[in-house]
Amino acid sequence: MVPASDERFAVILCNLGTPESATPKGVAKFLRRFLSDKRVVDLPRALWLPLLNGVILPLRSRRVAKLYQQIWLDQGSPLAVISENLRAKLAKELDGRAEVLLAMNYSDPDIAQVLEQVVQQGFDKVLVLPMYPQYSVTTTAPVFDAYHRASQKLYRLPEVRMVSHYYQSPRYIQALANSIRQQWQTEKPGEVLLFSFHGIPERYSKLGDPYAKHCEATAEAVALELGLSQKQWRLCFQSRFGKEPWLQPYTDELLAGLVEKGVKSVDIISPAFATDCLETIEELGSELREEFMEAGGEHYNYIPALNDGADQLALYREIIEHHTQGW
């Protein structure tokens, strides 16, 4: 009998997904899958789906496709390319101990396809690792939903463990602090450091989603690690959609308010994103920079996500080792 410590297991890294092409058709296909998920938009289907398919997708897909075209890489979208690079590096780091696979929630390869591959390859144990540091019903929960839906169609299921979050992991906090320090070694620190997280409707928090508290805990821990005073950093939320209130303060409004108070230079980081994508590269790196400078700001610096760097690899390896103890 092979000792448990020598048995190989599978790790499924799960990211949100991305359009297959930077075209209106490719974007519409992705957004339809994404925005049709009840976890993401919980409006009544009879109201939401006609609005989504008849109004939102025809208008939004063309505009978003143009934004994707500005950031598209030769190999594909940044999110897909960086996620695959991270998967490959992590597999090498684990040195054959585990099979590392990449799945997307709203594009291919989806979780059902990857789980089927895991079963076909004969793995008896699988760790599902959503690439979302902070838990949310809009991000982590859909990964768990997709896994369980896929498992219902299979006759043999491996033992499964799932990572819910890692928002307070000391190595994660240290990795974020390191990335900020590295940036400050090449660029003079701004007057204020903004921790900008992707927003969700306020209503979700009132219903029990702990995302806002997780974001606050992450930002506070990194600020403490950096030795920042309360005046030197802010927590904010970006990428709101629709008319209902989302988590506040909103990043764009906060930036405008800082300029009005005489702040001329800011640094901004988005800890909710494991990999850079449209919301970080275009929204934070370009759109909000332009708004800040036009309002009278003089220096705006976006600090990239951890991506496939050494600190991210060390973080994920630690998470995997922790959650697979006994395997």
Side-chain angles (χ1 to χ4, degrees):
M1 181 176 178
V2 179
S5 60
D6 291 335
E7 291 179 1
R8 295 178 72 245
F9 55 87
V11 176
I12 303 178
L13 298 180
C14 303
N15 211 335
L16 185 80
T18 182
E20 296 174 357
S21 62
T23 63
K25 183 178 180 180
V27 170
K29 179 181 177 181
F30 166 67
L31 290 180
R32 182 175 290 108
R33 289 181 66 174
F34 177 39
L35 297 176
S36 294
D37 192 329
K38 292 182 180 180
R39 293 285 201 180
V40 178
V41 180
D42 65 351
L43 296 174
R45 301 294 93 180
L47 171 66
W48 173 244
L49 293 181
L51 179 62
L52 174 65
N53 292 299
V55 180
I56 295 175
L57 290 180
L59 296 176
R60 191 173 178 84
S61 297
R62 290 186 177 85
R63 182 179 68 82
V64 174
K66 292 180 180 178
L67 298 178
Y68 268 108
Q69 289 164 12
Q70 296 174 17
I71 68 168
W72 208 255
L73 304 174
D74 291 340
Q75 308 98 311
S77 80
L79 181 143
V81 173
I82 297 169
S83 296
E84 172 55 26
N85 288 343
L86 178 60
R87 183 210 64 78
K89 290 182 179 181
L90 187 57
K92 187 175 180 180
E93 281 274 317
L94 294 174
D95 194 25
R97 174 82 173 94
E99 180 79 7
V100 184
L101 304 102
L102 176 65
M104 299 292 183
N105 239 28
Y106 306 108
S107 60
D108 293 333
D110 63 24
I111 293 172
Q113 295 168 338
V114 174
L115 178 57
E116 184 175 358
Q117 182 181 345
V118 167
V119 173
Q120 288 176 349
Q121 292 181 2
F123 289 99
D124 291 320
K125 298 178 176 68
V126 59
L127 177 69
V128 178
L129 174 49
M131 297 169 66
Y132 309 116
Q134 298 78 23
Y135 173 92
S136 175
V137 70
T138 64
T139 51
T140 314
V143 172
F144 296 173
D145 290 345
Y147 184 91
H148 289 299
R149 281 197 305 270
S151 69
Q152 292 171 9
K153 301 177 182 179
L154 300 173
Y155 284 84
R156 186 181 70 81
L157 293 174
E159 177 182 345
V160 60
R161 296 179 184 176
M162 297 184 171
V163 180
S164 179
H165 55 71
Y166 54 93
Y167 70 98
Q168 277 187 314
S169 161
R171 192 174 289 273
Y172 168 62
I173 300 303
Q174 188 65 52
L176 291 172
N178 286 345
S179 70
I180 295 168
R181 290 191 184 103
Q182 289 168 8
Q183 189 65 47
W184 287 348
Q185 289 176 358
T186 58
E187 296 273 354
K188 181 181 178 181
E191 297 167 67
V192 179
L193 171 64
L194 273 63
F195 295 94
S196 181
F197 294 82
H198 196 291
I200 63 171
E202 282 185 355
R203 177 168 49 87
Y204 290 9
S205 290
K206 295 177 181 177
L207 291 171
D209 191 327
Y211 177 71
K213 293 181 180 178
H214 287 189
C215 294
E216 291 170 6
T218 294
E220 289 173 357
V222 177
L224 180 63
E225 173 66 25
L226 293 171
L228 300 179
S229 69
Q230 194 64 44
K231 294 182 179 180
Q232 292 177 297
W233 67 277
R234 300 286 193 283
L235 170 71
C236 51
F237 298 91
Q238 65 189 79
S239 308
R240 65 187 183 276
F241 177 76
K243 296 183 179 180
E244 71 172 306
W246 281 40
L247 295 177
Q248 298 182 44
Y250 301 135
T251 302
D252 56 350
E253 294 182 358
L254 177 59
L255 283 167
L258 288 174
V259 174
E260 292 178 358
K261 294 178 181 178
V263 174
K264 296 296 184 180
S265 63
V266 298
D267 298 310
I268 189 164
I269 188 170
S270 192
F273 294 93
T275 60
D276 277 312
C277 55
L278 186 70
E279 285 80 1
T280 61
I281 300 172
E282 197 285 325
E283 184 178 3
L284 290 182
S286 178
E287 180 183 338
L288 291 178
R289 171 185 276 112
E290 291 179 6
E291 292 181 8
F292 180 74
M293 302 300 276
E294 289 176 359
E298 297 177 357
H299 180 82
Y300 176 107
N301 183 53
Y302 168 64
I303 300 171
L306 296 177
N307 291 322
D308 58 343
D311 280 346
Q312 181 96 298
L313 287 171
L315 167 64
Y316 275 22
R317 179 168 182 168
E318 180 175 276
I319 291 172
I320 292 167
E321 290 175 348
H322 173 74
H323 285 275
T324 60
Q325 290 184 44
W327 283 4

